[in-house]
Amino acid sequence: MAIQNAWLLRTLRDVPADAETAGHQLMLRAGLIRQTAAGMYAYMPLGLRVLRKLEAIVREEMERAGAQELLLPALQPAELWRQSGRYDVYGPELMTMTDRHNRSFVLGPTHEEAITSVMNGVINSYRQLPLTFFQIQVKFRDEMRPRSGLLRGREFLMKDAYSFHSDWDGLKRTYAVMYKAYCRIFNRCGLNYRAVMADAGAMGGDGDNHEFIALADIGEDTIAVCNSCQFAANVEKLQESLDEGTADQSETCPSCEQGKLEYCKGIEVGHTFQLGDKYSHSLGATVPGAHGRESELIMGCYGIGLSRLLATIVEQHHDQRGIIWPSAVAPYQVHMTIIAVKNEVQMKLAHQLYDRLAEVGIETLLDDRDERAGVKLHDAELIGIPIRIVVGKNADEHRVEYSERSSETKEVVHVEKALELLLQRIQLHRTHEI
Amino acid sequence: MAIQNAWLLRTLRDVPADAETAGHQLMLRAGLIRQTAAGMYAYMPLGLRVLRKLEAIVREEMERAGAQELLLPALQPAELWRQSGRYDVYGPELMTMTDRHNRSFVLGPTHEEAITSVMNGVINSYRQLPLTFFQIQVKFRDEMRPRSGLLRGREFLMKDAYSFHSDWDGLKRTYAVMYKAYCRIFNRCGLNYRAVMADAGAMGGDGDNHEFIALADIGEDTIAVCNSCQFAANVEKLQESLDEGTADQSETCPSCEQGKLEYCKGIEVGHTFQLGDKYSHSLGATVPGAHGRESELIMGCYGIGLSRLLATIVEQHHDQRGIIWPSAVAPYQVHMTIIAVKNEVQMKLAHQLYDRLAEVGIETLLDDRDERAGVKLHDAELIGIPIRIVVGKNADEHRVEYSERSSETKEVVHVEKALELLLQRIQLHRTHEI
């Protein structure tokens, strides 16, 4: 496995010309992704490992929140989108295709219509409710100008979830549980974010909805945050509050009326909606209530852009030398570099340590390429795995260099000490996660 | 979790009219899948659990064979398919779409062109070779007549793998490793299958290729198997052998010339190809060799239809009452039924047992629905989880009914004995797997 591992290190020396943001540049340079068409990317093995970590965190928190996983087709009959009225709302952003029998399909950017249609045939008593489902699936959106790599792609990975209720009270209870799950997910991913009240936009619905905005200067969304209380809102929503509350368009917080508002740029990584009966009404999805009378299902929906989340983490966690992965989502925990692969002492010590790490389940990337030391150390900085072990000239004394990507300190220690240090560090992070 | 679990049991009483095969009927009746359009299916939670088990087995065996996972976009520039010449070969089976800028894309039924194009930019030395990549991904094929549920769908899940080599010897070595991995996968899934020499068809390529055919009367492929030696072949390939070997179109085995050929029906669940330079030639994918001269990459490709595999397992493992899951792919290991959910003694004993099973990591489906006992026991037969525990009137003596789906024996035993029996049975199967 070691040799295959090392091959993953296909880094680029030059900054790709068309990559605007630091994160996009780093993802290309570190070999996480490769572009295949405008707004479409291949996840290379190193990038896919991070994506799988994100999926695992999301899956765990969705299941903790009581949601069940299913998987719907990507292709949806266009008729469903005409029934809900969204075929025209989405317009040219909707990717469509026609089959050999001339039937039209939508390449789903989201699945409200599809799941409402499936569940209408399945939910047959209010006693089954509430029910929440989620899926992790490829989505499509024909962006006019795809940009910033995975931040705004045309084919991307999402976690979308949908909850079904017999009344609004039920929806509000599940919504609160999902809101907490979202906070746990973004905290575990090491994201600096704010949850803000937002507008429903193309999704529609009567109830509250929240955007989860990761703070980043290159973001396309602007949010206002009070420097005194917990108030945070997107700017459109803020205009509403200000108009309603006071004619004075000042920078005083409309909630506590004391703090000042600060405006920040951010990236939307999640969105939760209280849809109400928007889709069940247009698609005729009903359930018999306690007294036998059919009533429309009340719904919520909850999305996280997983490929965008991956890109956002890189935007927030890097320096001039490369990525600095948070432990919980790092592609590997340990990056071990062998300085001279033709030196038998170094090779032997490195492989012994590699095997011991593998035994206790620690994922290690072993760089045993026959390359100059400088190239390999440079790649380790770029790829940004949390813990680095360099096996070099001190190998004959069983000593290695231990360092962490997030710190400037390097120390040459006995291999047993290095093992102890890295186990401590990994244990520390695992404890923090739970 | 228990309540959500029970909801999974949304079985249908009636046999769906348009489901032709026993497996397709059972998958619909047991609530594993639901149709959303012709040849398109939603995987409901119970069905998705089985699919995830298959994915895990495939992933494990691919990694054991040295393959690395990546993920390519589903959408591929149509231009690539024109370059390889397959745009016309596939014809109307190829699903296509045009984006808002009038550029044509293929919804990939397979990814030879896409991966060759990506790797051409990445592989830059023969010393990196051999390299094998795999992905688990949704695929599209516009079947003229989709049928038999997941056996021939229009949107389906595949594991596709691709290997890259500097010469044919390298390809043949990796091909042999992948062939063994395929045998391990299908054995672990409990499949009765044969690997047969086959024609390349639309995939092309100069070398050997094999089909992995699961034996099933409802299959659309016919293979010939010698009753004396190891010879097995598909019928087209057999005609070739017979024509070359002897003018006599007898039923004598062309290999050992002693045994008789028997013809069986089967379902193709996997296919491996020695492609050679078919794609690297048409797409200009080269690598500098040992003496610096560029030569075309030599390739192999290896596919398994995961959704079809799921359906095939049901075709091979059922009786008149329902599915009989092989342990390794069962959605849960234990199906626990509470006869009277209003009886506190039964509820308490069942939940205690459920918690103990959860502690040791045994997946249990707890049926605590307020339904007639007959309905619940009938559903347990239909869904076909390997081990069943019924908590009923003997609960006050701490006794439960233990039975296995694959046997007719039922025994009422102390709950500790039941636990012992099921741990033994699960342990037995885990040992067999490895």
Side-chain angles (χ1 to χ4, degrees):
Chain A
M1 288 306 290
I3 291 159
Q4 292 259 353
N5 264 353
W7 183 87
L8 296 173
L9 305 178
R10 291 287 306 124
T11 56
L12 303 178
R13 308 253 156 102
D14 304 318
V15 178
D18 58 340
E20 315 102 271
T21 70
H24 186 194
Q25 289 173 5
L26 287 171
M27 290 188 71
L28 287 168
R29 284 181 54 212
L32 302 178
I33 56 172
R34 284 187 83 91
Q35 188 171 352
T36 61
M40 299 181 196
Y41 291 86
Y43 298 90
M44 303 300 280
L46 206 55
L48 187 64
R49 287 183 78 97
V50 183
L51 198 61
R52 293 279 184 252
K53 299 275 163 90
L54 299 180
E55 286 182 23
I57 290 172
V58 165
R59 189 168 275 133
E60 214 175 289
E61 295 299 338
M62 284 296 105
E63 286 175 355
R64 192 200 298 269
Q68 299 180 72
E69 190 169 2
L70 48 60
L71 185 61
L72 301 169
L75 289 178
Q76 306 171 21
E79 185 46 36
L80 276 179
W81 282 69
R82 293 216 177 81
Q83 251 179 284
S84 75
R86 284 211 295 185
Y87 195 89
D88 296 326
V89 173
Y90 262 74
E93 286 200 349
L94 205 57
M95 288 192 182
T96 58
M97 63 84 60
T98 305
D99 75 5
R100 66 196 295 164
H101 302 295
N102 215 26
R103 282 181 295 242
S104 295
F105 288 87
V106 163
L107 282 75
T110 175
H111 277 68
E112 283 75 15
E113 287 84 353
I115 198 154
T116 305
S117 164
V118 164
M119 290 306 157
N120 195 26
V122 170
I123 298 172
N124 55 10
S125 164
Y126 71 98
R127 285 180 302 174
Q128 294 168 337
L129 303 175
L131 282 168
T132 307
F133 301 95
F134 75 100
Q135 58 176 350
I136 292 176
Q137 192 189 40
V138 62
K139 308 283 187 202
F140 303 88
R141 188 192 306 258
D142 206 349
E143 295 282 353
M144 183 64 176
R145 270 178 294 277
R147 57 195 172 279
S148 311
L150 300 187
L151 282 183
R152 194 167 285 279
R154 298 200 292 168
E155 177 174 336
F156 50 97
L157 202 71
M158 271 195 79
K159 184 285 298 176
D160 43 328
Y162 308 90
S163 67
F164 295 87
H165 313 272
S166 48
D167 56 31
W168 274 90
D169 283 351
L171 168 57
K172 284 178 186 296
R173 276 192 298 272
T174 292
Y175 190 87
V177 171
M178 292 296 272
Y179 181 95
K180 273 187 204 149
Y182 269 48
C183 295
R184 288 184 59 92
I185 288 167
F186 296 127
N187 286 334
R188 287 180 63 179
C189 291
L191 220 61
N192 181 13
Y193 72 96
R194 298 288 182 280
V196 302
M197 296 284 285
D199 282 325
M203 202 60 73
D206 309 319
D208 284 350
N209 76 83
H210 289 88
E211 285 170 352
F212 292 80
I213 305 284
L215 304 186
D217 290 340
I218 55 100
E220 297 178 355
D221 291 281
T222 305
I223 61 169
V225 183
C226 175
N227 65 3
S228 169
C229 75
Q230 292 302 308
F231 180 85
N234 79 357
V235 279
E236 293 83 12
K237 197 79 185 174
L238 180 66
Q239 294 304 330
E240 279 177 35
S241 317
L242 291 171
D243 289 351
E244 282 168 16
T246 152
D248 176 19
Q249 298 266 344
S250 83
E251 302 220 335
T252 305
C253 171
S255 173
C256 68
E257 296 182 357
Q258 294 183 342
K260 292 280 171 206
L261 292 181
E262 290 168 3
Y263 291 81
C264 334
K265 289 282 182 189
I267 301 164
E268 183 188 330
V269 287
H271 208 144
T272 55
F273 298 90
Q274 296 178 3
L275 295 171
D277 64 0
K278 176 175 159 61
Y279 295 91
S280 50
H281 180 73
S282 54
L283 299 171
T286 60
V287 65
H291 306 292
R293 214 176 44 152
E294 294 281 330
S295 64
E296 273 152 5
L297 284 162
I298 300 298
M299 290 173 59
C301 78
Y302 318 87
I304 292 179
L306 289 175
S307 21
R308 183 183 283 184
L309 177 57
L310 168 54
T312 303
I313 292 170
V314 179
E315 294 292 349
Q316 285 194 350
H317 296 274
H318 69 269
D319 61 16
Q320 286 182 319
R321 303 195 302 273
I323 305 169
I324 307 171
W325 290 112
S327 264
V329 303
Y332 293 88
Q333 290 305 309
V334 178
H335 188 144
M336 186 157 29
T337 305
I338 306 173
I339 295 295
V341 293
K342 282 165 186 156
N343 178 310
E344 278 178 28
V345 179
Q346 291 184 24
M347 282 296 266
K348 191 175 162 199
L349 184 64
H351 279 93
Q352 279 173 350
L353 186 53
Y354 182 91
D355 290 345
R356 286 178 68 183
L357 292 172
E359 266 169 36
V360 290
I362 292 173
E363 300 159 302
T364 306
L365 177 65
L366 180 61
D367 188 355
D368 57 2
R369 290 176 298 167
D370 187 8
E371 285 277 3
R372 283 184 298 116
V375 168
K376 289 189 273 197
L377 297 174
H378 176 270
D379 281 349
E381 297 283 279
L382 176 58
I383 290 169
I385 290 165
I387 300 168
R388 283 91 56 86
I389 300 281
V390 179
V391 182
K393 63 181 191 307
N394 300 111
D396 47 2
E397 302 158 12
H398 283 249
R399 285 152 66 85
V400 298
E401 185 189 273
Y402 174 94
S403 67
E404 293 176 8
R405 179 61 180 89
S406 57
S407 126
E408 296 297 324
T409 319
K410 289 178 174 25
E411 40 184 336
V412 176
V413 295
H414 192 275
V415 66
E416 296 299 329
K417 177 70 180 170
L419 200 59
E420 191 185 304
L421 286 170
L422 73 83
L423 287 174
Q424 259 172 20
R425 151 95 198 214
I426 289 170
Q427 193 53 51
L428 189 72
H429 278 270
R430 287 198 182 146
T431 317
H432 270 259
E433 267 174 51
I434 302 158
Chain B
M1 290 304 293
I3 291 159
Q4 292 258 355
N5 263 352
W7 183 86
L8 296 173
L9 306 179
R10 289 287 304 126
T11 55
L12 303 179
R13 307 254 157 103
D14 303 320
V15 177
D18 58 341
E20 315 101 270
T21 70
H24 186 194
Q25 290 174 3
L26 287 171
M27 291 188 71
L28 289 168
R29 283 181 55 211
L32 302 178
I33 56 171
R34 282 187 83 91
Q35 188 172 351
T36 61
M40 298 180 196
Y41 291 86
Y43 297 90
M44 302 300 280
L46 206 55
L48 187 63
R49 288 183 77 97
V50 183
L51 198 60
R52 293 281 184 251
K53 299 275 163 90
L54 299 180
E55 286 182 24
I57 290 172
V58 164
R59 189 168 275 131
E60 216 175 287
E61 296 299 338
M62 284 296 104
E63 286 175 355
R64 191 200 299 268
Q68 299 180 73
E69 190 169 0
L70 47 60
L71 185 60
L72 301 169
L75 289 178
Q76 306 171 22
E79 185 46 35
L80 276 179
W81 282 69
R82 293 215 178 83
Q83 252 179 281
S84 75
R86 284 211 294 185
Y87 196 89
D88 296 325
V89 173
Y90 262 72
E93 285 201 350
L94 205 57
M95 288 194 181
T96 58
M97 62 85 60
T98 304
D99 75 4
R100 64 197 294 165
H101 302 294
N102 214 26
R103 281 182 295 242
S104 295
F105 288 86
V106 163
L107 282 76
T110 175
H111 277 68
E112 283 76 15
E113 288 85 354
I115 197 151
T116 304
S117 164
V118 165
M119 290 305 157
N120 195 25
V122 170
I123 298 172
N124 55 12
S125 165
Y126 71 99
R127 284 181 302 175
Q128 295 168 336
L129 303 175
L131 282 168
T132 307
F133 300 95
F134 75 100
Q135 58 175 350
I136 292 175
Q137 192 189 39
V138 63
K139 308 283 186 203
F140 303 88
R141 188 191 304 258
D142 206 349
E143 295 283 352
M144 184 63 178
R145 270 179 293 276
R147 58 194 172 279
S148 311
L150 301 187
L151 282 184
R152 195 168 284 279
R154 298 200 293 168
E155 177 174 337
F156 50 97
L157 202 71
M158 269 194 80
K159 185 284 299 176
D160 43 328
Y162 307 90
S163 67
F164 295 88
H165 313 272
S166 48
D167 55 30
W168 274 89
D169 283 351
L171 168 57
K172 284 179 187 294
R173 274 192 298 273
T174 294
Y175 190 87
V177 171
M178 292 297 271
Y179 181 94
K180 272 187 204 148
Y182 269 49
C183 294
R184 288 184 60 92
I185 289 167
F186 296 127
N187 286 334
R188 286 180 64 179
C189 291
L191 220 60
N192 181 13
Y193 72 96
R194 298 290 182 280
V196 301
M197 295 285 284
D199 281 325
M203 202 60 73
D206 309 318
D208 284 351
N209 76 83
H210 290 88
E211 285 170 353
F212 292 79
I213 305 283
L215 304 186
D217 290 340
I218 56 99
E220 297 179 355
D221 291 282
T222 306
I223 60 170
V225 182
C226 174
N227 65 5
S228 168
C229 76
Q230 292 301 307
F231 179 84
N234 78 357
V235 279
E236 293 84 11
K237 197 78 184 173
L238 180 66
Q239 294 305 329
E240 282 177 34
S241 316
L242 291 173
D243 288 352
E244 284 168 16
T246 153
D248 176 19
Q249 298 266 345
S250 82
E251 300 219 336
T252 305
C253 171
S255 173
C256 68
E257 296 182 355
Q258 295 184 340
K260 291 282 168 203
L261 293 180
E262 289 168 4
Y263 291 82
C264 336
K265 289 282 182 188
I267 301 163
E268 183 188 329
V269 287
H271 208 144
T272 56
F273 297 90
Q274 295 179 4
L275 295 171
D277 64 0
K278 175 175 161 64
Y279 295 91
S280 51
H281 181 73
S282 55
L283 300 170
T286 60
V287 65
H291 305 291
R293 215 175 43 151
E294 293 280 330
S295 63
E296 274 152 5
L297 285 163
I298 300 298
M299 290 173 58
C301 78
Y302 317 87
I304 293 180
L306 289 174
S307 20
R308 183 183 285 184
L309 177 57
L310 168 52
T312 303
I313 291 169
V314 179
E315 293 292 350
Q316 285 195 350
H317 296 273
H318 69 268
D319 62 16
Q320 285 183 318
R321 302 195 303 273
I323 304 169
I324 307 171
W325 290 112
S327 263
V329 303
Y332 295 88
Q333 291 303 309
V334 178
H335 188 144
M336 188 161 24
T337 306
I338 306 172
I339 294 294
V341 293
K342 281 163 185 156
N343 178 311
E344 280 178 28
V345 179
Q346 291 183 25
M347 282 295 266
K348 192 175 160 198
L349 183 65
H351 279 92
Q352 279 172 349
L353 185 53
Y354 181 91
D355 290 345
R356 285 178 68 184
L357 291 172
E359 268 171 36
V360 290
I362 293 174
E363 300 160 302
T364 306
L365 177 65
L366 181 60
D367 187 356
D368 57 2
R369 291 176 298 168
D370 187 8
E371 285 276 5
R372 282 183 300 119
V375 168
K376 290 189 273 198
L377 297 175
H378 177 270
D379 281 350
E381 297 281 282
L382 177 58
I383 291 170
I385 289 166
I387 299 168
R388 283 91 57 86
I389 300 281
V390 179
V391 181
K393 64 182 191 310
N394 301 110
D396 48 2
E397 303 158 11
H398 283 249
R399 285 152 66 85
V400 298
E401 185 189 274
Y402 174 94
S403 68
E404 296 177 7
R405 179 62 179 88
S406 56
S407 124
E408 297 297 322
T409 318
K410 290 177 174 23
E411 41 185 333
V412 177
V413 294
H414 192 274
V415 66
E416 295 300 329
K417 176 68 180 172
L419 200 58
E420 192 186 304
L421 285 171
L422 72 84
L423 288 173
Q424 259 172 19
R425 150 96 198 213
I426 289 170
Q427 193 52 50
L428 188 71
H429 278 271
R430 287 197 181 147
T431 316
H432 270 259
E433 267 174 52
I434 303 160

